[in-house]
Amino acid sequence: MEISSKYSPQATEEKWYRHWIDKKYFHSTPDEREPYTIVIPPPNVTGVLHMGHMLNNTIQDVLIRRARMQGKNACWVPGTDHASIATEAKVVNKLAQQGIKKTDISREEFLKHAWDWTHEHGGIILKQLRRLGASCDWDRTAFTMDEIRSKSVVHVFCDLYNKGLIYRGVRMVNWDPVALTALSDEEVIYKEEHSKLYYLKYMIEGEDGYAVVATTRPETIMGDTAMCINPNDPKNQYLKGKKVIVPLVGRVIPVIEDDYVDVEFGTGCLKVTPAHDVNDYMLGDKHNLESINIFNDDATVSEAAGLYVGMDRMAVRKQIVKDLDAAGLLEKVEDYNNKVGYSERTNVPIEPKLSMQWFLKMEHLAKIALAPVESGDIRFYPPKYVNLYRHWLENIKDWCISRQLWWGHQIPAYYLPEGGFVVAENIEEALRLAKEKTGVDFSAEQLRQDPDCLDTWFSSWLWPLSLFDGIMNPDNEEFKYYYPTNDLITAPDIIFFWVARMIMAGEEYQHKVPFNNVYFTGIVRDKRGRKMSKSLGNSPDPIELIDKFGADGVRMGMLLTAPAGNDLPFDESLCEQGRNFCNKIWNALRLVKGWTVDDNLSQPETAMIASRWFEARYNKILAETNDNLDRYRLSDALMGIYKLIWDDFCSWYLEMVKAPAGCSVDRVTYNETVTFFENLMKILHPFMPFITEEVWHLLQERTDGDDIIISQQPTQKTVDAKMLDMFGFAQDVINNIRKIRAEKNISFRQAVDLLVVDKDCNVSRDFDFVIMKLCNVEHVIYADEKPHDAFGFIVGAVEFFIPIADAVDVEAELKKLEEELNYTKGFLKSVEAKLSNERFVNGAPTAVVDKERKKKADAEAKIKVIEEQMAALK
């Protein structure tokens, strides 16, 4: 079989992905096997792949491929999110480029444009995931606004409303003046800012004096309806019962008293603007103050303000400071650091605003979502996020679920001509409820559906349920088989947006958790520790990385430094390391397939011992790999496999078993080597699927359907620990001989003898043939006396010597031995310190303590041998 000299990722990836699709290996239907289910965190429908997606989906693919190879019925459901705010903003911008304003067209016309945009740009990210190797069941691809998901959302809204959990009311909300919609608290990102604190003079009505108020927002004084002081503040007692005049505005407002005011902040006097600050709103409600809304929806000043009408809020701040100063009403300005809330989507400061919105009561849902995480029914990896999760749920506020957008699920509330409303899943149901409520037969035209749509997360929180139609048809076979799902892979920044709410929905509608484990990925950062983003220009294009390094190379690069919950310091050199690993595997394949096999040859002793050792080594790493994967330590699992292949298989095993140049290898060794190679590819396949499938098919002829993707993972066997210890000893011997050859410039072609002084018979002679082959040792001689004129080294408590014809440089040998002696004494000291610690000796497992005691005994024996060698040289 002709194997090309270089591995070609592009050709391999395209070939095998098409093969897997054609064979329907990714597709799942319920059967008698144990199901293993993952639902994809749905990316924005019009989004493109970024490094966070790469990390998240690589991890999901590793888990789903492993489950498939464990004989489970693996089902990874893909899909996309309609992303109300982001998608609507893109459609509005596109229309603006055509000279069309959203306000100039009907909702139906706008939605047609939105659907056209979605069909044109949607699904790109799912196609890109194919390049990564994602083995999703593409036949199940869902969209949060497709028919099943939309019906589920509307049904849940109506159900929760009927349960008294959804209500409508005027509340202070977070308003996004660019997206022109309310936001939930979780969609507000607080940023530390270098602001200014402005000290304004409020003249006392009927007196010459004034009070000073410190504020960061002088542009809101047109909405002031009171000044508040703390009744226990001695410095402001003179203001009790008085009235003050709002500067520039001229409005007379009362001085009220409340313990809420912090006497240490500013002057202890607080301007109260109930319509534009959440705390002021509560004060206004408590003291029955007027609310004056001075901002339009786009954060320009409204007619109600009376001043600066039509100006943007930030422009007003600059102008009003000048005007206050000119009027002698600005006492001073100080630098001030404070946190300002920004819209997560549009990155503009949010505006607190009184608004009629729809809310979901969260107290009941928070309780049912906290219990399974605290009981361990749902496990977080890493577990540090449990405390964060608990804190949020214990301090939760009602969820503002309405958005002033058209793209999304329209709220199923219908307003009646004479006032009031009904909540219904469709217009027919609404007409029936309206008649029950009023006794009037209305026509569909007479009812007006609420124009707002629901928060995008109100559809996403149902994702594990709605993907299998578990809301509308909870008794269907697929839902009962696949739900609850197994693992959720997601970023910690949506633990509240999505993870907590999915748990709420699962418990509310099925009394079951939606998944058993949550693996939180870290944030992908650049070499300087900055979060990767388009604005910083520090995020590589994932598809370009795949073109350059191959999908397997990129997957390995992402996973090697991706511990659960910790940030990923990404560097392109990691992908290069992945590509180099592919080349290493490819070269090993070419070596093995380039061997000629002689069926008449018997297996050499070197190959026999090498085979026994590698099998033991493989079983040890297999056990560690399974343990690491069971605990979601993917980086550790991959690194173990990487070293097993690069170091143990390529650098040690193949060197031990390959025949001399021009010679053939025996059939037993060849077959064992191919089997080892196959088993290595099996455990590597979930991480690097393409090259492993290619190597699998090149190692030997395969029948149709004999593909690595559906092969069974190797069975874990007992580890021969004694064999591993013996080979570890032999490795140290080999490395020391190689070191002496290099230091003394002894050519590998020059055969040497090895003299072993092993008075206590500590050395197994099983590896003598291996040492002889790998080090070109002509004879291994066991002796009782140390030779003269020989280079020596020590492994454990055993002395080894390489006799030489030339005189030994005594001074150089003494210097080398002294360095080794000092190092060994330092090592012994550290071991003794550990063993003198009672907490360690009494608390650590017996095997660990015994290991430390053996280290102590070996170090003491080695020191004795070194000192004897030094004495002999002197």
Side-chain angles (χ1 to χ4, degrees), residues 274-296:
H276 298 289
D277 181 275
V278 65
N279 296 310
D280 289 8
Y281 170 70
M282 289 188 287
L283 274 175
D285 189 49
K286 180 178 177 181
H287 293 275
N288 200 26
L289 300 175
E290 180 187 5
S291 282
I292 304 171
N293 186 355
I294 65 163
F295 290 129
N296 297 313

PDB file of all heavy atoms in Angstrom, residues 274-296:
ATOM      1  N   PRO A 274     -37.096  60.000  40.748  1.00  0.00           N
ATOM      2  CA  PRO A 274     -37.762  58.683  40.758  1.00  0.00           C
ATOM      3  C   PRO A 274     -37.852  57.988  39.406  1.00  0.00           C
ATOM      4  O   PRO A 274     -37.866  56.753  39.353  1.00  0.00           O
ATOM      5  CB  PRO A 274     -39.158  59.009  41.299  1.00  0.00           C
ATOM      6  CG  PRO A 274     -38.977  60.261  42.088  1.00  0.00           C
ATOM      7  CD  PRO A 274     -37.941  61.046  41.353  1.00  0.00           C
ATOM      8  N   ALA A 275     -37.877  58.744  38.320  1.00  0.00           N
ATOM      9  CA  ALA A 275     -38.057  58.111  37.005  1.00  0.00           C
ATOM     10  C   ALA A 275     -36.755  57.590  36.414  1.00  0.00           C
ATOM     11  O   ALA A 275     -36.780  56.873  35.405  1.00  0.00           O
ATOM     12  CB  ALA A 275     -38.704  59.103  36.033  1.00  0.00           C
ATOM     13  N   HIS A 276     -35.591  57.919  37.031  1.00  0.00           N
ATOM     14  CA  HIS A 276     -34.329  57.599  36.369  1.00  0.00           C
ATOM     15  C   HIS A 276     -33.259  57.000  37.278  1.00  0.00           C
ATOM     16  O   HIS A 276     -32.072  57.039  36.962  1.00  0.00           O
ATOM     17  CB  HIS A 276     -33.789  58.842  35.651  1.00  0.00           C
ATOM     18  CG  HIS A 276     -34.708  59.322  34.582  1.00  0.00           C
ATOM     19  ND1 HIS A 276     -34.898  58.631  33.401  1.00  0.00           N
ATOM     20  CD2 HIS A 276     -35.569  60.373  34.560  1.00  0.00           C
ATOM     21  CE1 HIS A 276     -35.814  59.265  32.674  1.00  0.00           C
ATOM     22  NE2 HIS A 276     -36.242  60.323  33.350  1.00  0.00           N
ATOM     23  N   ASP A 277     -33.670  56.430  38.396  1.00  0.00           N
ATOM     24  CA  ASP A 277     -32.731  55.728  39.259  1.00  0.00           C
ATOM     25  C   ASP A 277     -33.534  54.718  40.067  1.00  0.00           C
ATOM     26  O   ASP A 277     -34.570  55.057  40.640  1.00  0.00           O
ATOM     27  CB  ASP A 277     -32.007  56.708  40.189  1.00  0.00           C
ATOM     28  CG  ASP A 277     -31.008  55.999  41.090  1.00  0.00           C
ATOM     29  OD1 ASP A 277     -31.428  55.498  42.161  1.00  0.00           O
ATOM     30  OD2 ASP A 277     -29.825  55.927  40.721  1.00  0.00           O
ATOM     31  N   VAL A 278     -33.053  53.498  40.141  1.00  0.00           N
ATOM     32  CA  VAL A 278     -33.832  52.439  40.769  1.00  0.00           C
ATOM     33  C   VAL A 278     -34.027  52.685  42.270  1.00  0.00           C
ATOM     34  O   VAL A 278     -35.099  52.428  42.825  1.00  0.00           O
ATOM     35  CB  VAL A 278     -33.183  51.050  40.504  1.00  0.00           C
ATOM     36  CG1 VAL A 278     -31.823  50.918  41.158  1.00  0.00           C
ATOM     37  CG2 VAL A 278     -34.108  49.930  40.952  1.00  0.00           C
ATOM     38  N   ASN A 279     -32.985  53.221  42.931  1.00  0.00           N
ATOM     39  CA  ASN A 279     -33.129  53.509  44.357  1.00  0.00           C
ATOM     40  C   ASN A 279     -34.030  54.720  44.595  1.00  0.00           C
ATOM     41  O   ASN A 279     -34.822  54.747  45.542  1.00  0.00           O
ATOM     42  CB  ASN A 279     -31.749  53.730  44.989  1.00  0.00           C
ATOM     43  CG  ASN A 279     -30.902  52.470  44.926  1.00  0.00           C
ATOM     44  OD1 ASN A 279     -31.354  51.397  45.300  1.00  0.00           O
ATOM     45  ND2 ASN A 279     -29.682  52.592  44.435  1.00  0.00           N
ATOM     46  N   ASP A 280     -33.898  55.722  43.711  1.00  0.00           N
ATOM     47  CA  ASP A 280     -34.773  56.892  43.812  1.00  0.00           C
ATOM     48  C   ASP A 280     -36.226  56.489  43.568  1.00  0.00           C
ATOM     49  O   ASP A 280     -37.150  57.057  44.161  1.00  0.00           O
ATOM     50  CB  ASP A 280     -34.360  57.956  42.792  1.00  0.00           C
ATOM     51  CG  ASP A 280     -33.031  58.616  43.155  1.00  0.00           C
ATOM     52  OD1 ASP A 280     -32.381  58.128  44.098  1.00  0.00           O
ATOM     53  OD2 ASP A 280     -32.644  59.591  42.496  1.00  0.00           O
ATOM     54  N   TYR A 281     -36.413  55.519  42.680  1.00  0.00           N
ATOM     55  CA  TYR A 281     -37.772  55.040  42.404  1.00  0.00           C
ATOM     56  C   TYR A 281     -38.404  54.464  43.671  1.00  0.00           C
ATOM     57  O   TYR A 281     -39.571  54.728  43.989  1.00  0.00           O
ATOM     58  CB  TYR A 281     -37.732  53.987  41.294  1.00  0.00           C
ATOM     59  CG  TYR A 281     -39.039  53.247  41.097  1.00  0.00           C
ATOM     60  CD1 TYR A 281     -40.151  53.897  40.565  1.00  0.00           C
ATOM     61  CD2 TYR A 281     -39.161  51.903  41.459  1.00  0.00           C
ATOM     62  CE1 TYR A 281     -41.352  53.224  40.385  1.00  0.00           C
ATOM     63  CE2 TYR A 281     -40.349  51.228  41.289  1.00  0.00           C
ATOM     64  CZ  TYR A 281     -41.443  51.886  40.750  1.00  0.00           C
ATOM     65  OH  TYR A 281     -42.637  51.232  40.584  1.00  0.00           O
ATOM     66  N   MET A 282     -37.603  53.691  44.430  1.00  0.00           N
ATOM     67  CA  MET A 282     -38.121  53.107  45.675  1.00  0.00           C
ATOM     68  C   MET A 282     -38.411  54.200  46.709  1.00  0.00           C
ATOM     69  O   MET A 282     -39.410  54.142  47.417  1.00  0.00           O
ATOM     70  CB  MET A 282     -37.121  52.086  46.220  1.00  0.00           C
ATOM     71  CG  MET A 282     -37.053  50.812  45.376  1.00  0.00           C
ATOM     72  SD  MET A 282     -36.055  49.499  46.111  1.00  0.00           S
ATOM     73  CE  MET A 282     -34.412  50.130  45.878  1.00  0.00           C
ATOM     74  N   LEU A 283     -37.541  55.216  46.778  1.00  0.00           N
ATOM     75  CA  LEU A 283     -37.786  56.338  47.685  1.00  0.00           C
ATOM     76  C   LEU A 283     -39.051  57.089  47.278  1.00  0.00           C
ATOM     77  O   LEU A 283     -39.875  57.475  48.114  1.00  0.00           O
ATOM     78  CB  LEU A 283     -36.595  57.305  47.656  1.00  0.00           C
ATOM     79  CG  LEU A 283     -35.423  57.009  48.590  1.00  0.00           C
ATOM     80  CD1 LEU A 283     -34.294  57.996  48.320  1.00  0.00           C
ATOM     81  CD2 LEU A 283     -35.832  57.068  50.052  1.00  0.00           C
ATOM     82  N   GLY A 284     -39.196  57.297  45.969  1.00  0.00           N
ATOM     83  CA  GLY A 284     -40.374  58.013  45.459  1.00  0.00           C
ATOM     84  C   GLY A 284     -41.655  57.268  45.765  1.00  0.00           C
ATOM     85  O   GLY A 284     -42.683  57.868  46.122  1.00  0.00           O
ATOM     86  N   ASP A 285     -41.589  55.936  45.622  1.00  0.00           N
ATOM     87  CA  ASP A 285     -42.769  55.118  45.904  1.00  0.00           C
ATOM     88  C   ASP A 285     -43.129  55.183  47.399  1.00  0.00           C
ATOM     89  O   ASP A 285     -44.288  55.321  47.772  1.00  0.00           O
ATOM     90  CB  ASP A 285     -42.469  53.671  45.488  1.00  0.00           C
ATOM     91  CG  ASP A 285     -43.712  52.787  45.528  1.00  0.00           C
ATOM     92  OD1 ASP A 285     -44.743  53.204  44.971  1.00  0.00           O
ATOM     93  OD2 ASP A 285     -43.638  51.688  46.121  1.00  0.00           O
ATOM     94  N   LYS A 286     -42.093  55.143  48.235  1.00  0.00           N
ATOM     95  CA  LYS A 286     -42.289  55.170  49.685  1.00  0.00           C
ATOM     96  C   LYS A 286     -42.855  56.516  50.151  1.00  0.00           C
ATOM     97  O   LYS A 286     -43.709  56.582  51.039  1.00  0.00           O
ATOM     98  CB  LYS A 286     -40.953  54.878  50.368  1.00  0.00           C
ATOM     99  CG  LYS A 286     -41.000  54.865  51.885  1.00  0.00           C
ATOM    100  CD  LYS A 286     -39.614  54.504  52.433  1.00  0.00           C
ATOM    101  CE  LYS A 286     -39.590  54.539  53.957  1.00  0.00           C
ATOM    102  NZ  LYS A 286     -38.229  54.208  54.478  1.00  0.00           N
ATOM    103  N   HIS A 287     -42.376  57.633  49.536  1.00  0.00           N
ATOM    104  CA  HIS A 287     -42.762  58.983  49.986  1.00  0.00           C
ATOM    105  C   HIS A 287     -43.787  59.638  49.058  1.00  0.00           C
ATOM    106  O   HIS A 287     -44.030  60.842  49.161  1.00  0.00           O
ATOM    107  CB  HIS A 287     -41.506  59.854  50.103  1.00  0.00           C
ATOM    108  CG  HIS A 287     -40.570  59.412  51.186  1.00  0.00           C
ATOM    109  ND1 HIS A 287     -40.707  59.798  52.496  1.00  0.00           N
ATOM    110  CD2 HIS A 287     -39.493  58.578  51.145  1.00  0.00           C
ATOM    111  CE1 HIS A 287     -39.729  59.239  53.220  1.00  0.00           C
ATOM    112  NE2 HIS A 287     -38.981  58.488  52.425  1.00  0.00           N
ATOM    113  N   ASN A 288     -44.344  58.828  48.142  1.00  0.00           N
ATOM    114  CA  ASN A 288     -45.409  59.312  47.258  1.00  0.00           C
ATOM    115  C   ASN A 288     -44.980  60.531  46.440  1.00  0.00           C
ATOM    116  O   ASN A 288     -45.693  61.536  46.358  1.00  0.00           O
ATOM    117  CB  ASN A 288     -46.669  59.642  48.082  1.00  0.00           C
ATOM    118  CG  ASN A 288     -47.912  59.664  47.207  1.00  0.00           C
ATOM    119  OD1 ASN A 288     -47.965  59.003  46.168  1.00  0.00           O
ATOM    120  ND2 ASN A 288     -48.902  60.448  47.609  1.00  0.00           N
ATOM    121  N   LEU A 289     -43.793  60.444  45.814  1.00  0.00           N
ATOM    122  CA  LEU A 289     -43.274  61.546  45.011  1.00  0.00           C
ATOM    123  C   LEU A 289     -43.697  61.419  43.553  1.00  0.00           C
ATOM    124  O   LEU A 289     -43.946  60.313  43.058  1.00  0.00           O
ATOM    125  CB  LEU A 289     -41.735  61.559  45.072  1.00  0.00           C
ATOM    126  CG  LEU A 289     -41.094  61.737  46.453  1.00  0.00           C
ATOM    127  CD1 LEU A 289     -39.579  61.608  46.342  1.00  0.00           C
ATOM    128  CD2 LEU A 289     -41.466  63.091  47.054  1.00  0.00           C
ATOM    129  N   GLU A 290     -43.740  62.568  42.883  1.00  0.00           N
ATOM    130  CA  GLU A 290     -44.049  62.586  41.454  1.00  0.00           C
ATOM    131  C   GLU A 290     -42.860  62.017  40.677  1.00  0.00           C
ATOM    132  O   GLU A 290     -41.704  62.205  41.066  1.00  0.00           O
ATOM    133  CB  GLU A 290     -44.328  64.034  41.015  1.00  0.00           C
ATOM    134  CG  GLU A 290     -44.661  64.174  39.540  1.00  0.00           C
ATOM    135  CD  GLU A 290     -44.751  65.636  39.102  1.00  0.00           C
ATOM    136  OE1 GLU A 290     -44.466  66.536  39.926  1.00  0.00           O
ATOM    137  OE2 GLU A 290     -45.096  65.859  37.921  1.00  0.00           O
ATOM    138  N   SER A 291     -43.140  61.298  39.575  1.00  0.00           N
ATOM    139  CA  SER A 291     -42.082  60.820  38.675  1.00  0.00           C
ATOM    140  C   SER A 291     -42.167  61.594  37.368  1.00  0.00           C
ATOM    141  O   SER A 291     -43.222  61.637  36.739  1.00  0.00           O
ATOM    142  CB  SER A 291     -42.255  59.327  38.390  1.00  0.00           C
ATOM    143  OG  SER A 291     -41.796  58.558  39.463  1.00  0.00           O
ATOM    144  N   ILE A 292     -41.053  62.201  36.969  1.00  0.00           N
ATOM    145  CA  ILE A 292     -41.016  62.950  35.708  1.00  0.00           C
ATOM    146  C   ILE A 292     -40.018  62.260  34.779  1.00  0.00           C
ATOM    147  O   ILE A 292     -38.807  62.254  35.041  1.00  0.00           O
ATOM    148  CB  ILE A 292     -40.598  64.420  35.933  1.00  0.00           C
ATOM    149  CG1 ILE A 292     -41.528  65.100  36.947  1.00  0.00           C
ATOM    150  CG2 ILE A 292     -40.588  65.185  34.615  1.00  0.00           C
ATOM    151  CD1 ILE A 292     -41.061  66.490  37.393  1.00  0.00           C
ATOM    152  N   ASN A 293     -40.529  61.676  33.712  1.00  0.00           N
ATOM    153  CA  ASN A 293     -39.672  60.963  32.757  1.00  0.00           C
ATOM    154  C   ASN A 293     -39.095  61.980  31.771  1.00  0.00           C
ATOM    155  O   ASN A 293     -39.801  62.482  30.902  1.00  0.00           O
ATOM    156  CB  ASN A 293     -40.495  59.903  32.022  1.00  0.00           C
ATOM    157  CG  ASN A 293     -39.619  59.043  31.127  1.00  0.00           C
ATOM    158  OD1 ASN A 293     -38.427  59.290  30.977  1.00  0.00           O
ATOM    159  ND2 ASN A 293     -40.217  58.030  30.515  1.00  0.00           N
ATOM    160  N   ILE A 294     -37.818  62.284  31.911  1.00  0.00           N
ATOM    161  CA  ILE A 294     -37.225  63.353  31.089  1.00  0.00           C
ATOM    162  C   ILE A 294     -36.505  62.831  29.844  1.00  0.00           C
ATOM    163  O   ILE A 294     -35.920  63.610  29.097  1.00  0.00           O
ATOM    164  CB  ILE A 294     -36.250  64.201  31.928  1.00  0.00           C
ATOM    165  CG1 ILE A 294     -35.037  63.365  32.375  1.00  0.00           C
ATOM    166  CG2 ILE A 294     -36.950  64.838  33.118  1.00  0.00           C
ATOM    167  CD1 ILE A 294     -33.863  64.200  32.832  1.00  0.00           C
ATOM    168  N   PHE A 295     -36.512  61.500  29.636  1.00  0.00           N
ATOM    169  CA  PHE A 295     -35.824  60.954  28.474  1.00  0.00           C
ATOM    170  C   PHE A 295     -36.786  60.249  27.533  1.00  0.00           C
ATOM    171  O   PHE A 295     -37.719  59.567  27.964  1.00  0.00           O
ATOM    172  CB  PHE A 295     -34.739  59.944  28.895  1.00  0.00           C
ATOM    173  CG  PHE A 295     -33.555  60.567  29.573  1.00  0.00           C
ATOM    174  CD1 PHE A 295     -33.092  60.082  30.785  1.00  0.00           C
ATOM    175  CD2 PHE A 295     -32.891  61.647  29.001  1.00  0.00           C
ATOM    176  CE1 PHE A 295     -32.007  60.640  31.422  1.00  0.00           C
ATOM    177  CE2 PHE A 295     -31.802  62.225  29.623  1.00  0.00           C
ATOM    178  CZ  PHE A 295     -31.356  61.729  30.836  1.00  0.00           C
ATOM    179  N   ASN A 296     -36.527  60.435  26.245  1.00  0.00           N
ATOM    180  CA  ASN A 296     -37.206  59.629  25.231  1.00  0.00           C
ATOM    181  C   ASN A 296     -36.562  58.246  25.214  1.00  0.00           C
ATOM    182  O   ASN A 296     -35.527  58.011  25.855  1.00  0.00           O
ATOM    183  CB  ASN A 296     -37.081  60.289  23.852  1.00  0.00           C
ATOM    184  CG  ASN A 296     -37.769  61.639  23.805  1.00  0.00           C
ATOM    185  OD1 ASN A 296     -38.903  61.782  24.255  1.00  0.00           O
ATOM    186  ND2 ASN A 296     -37.083  62.644  23.264  1.00  0.00           N
TER     187      ASN A 296
END
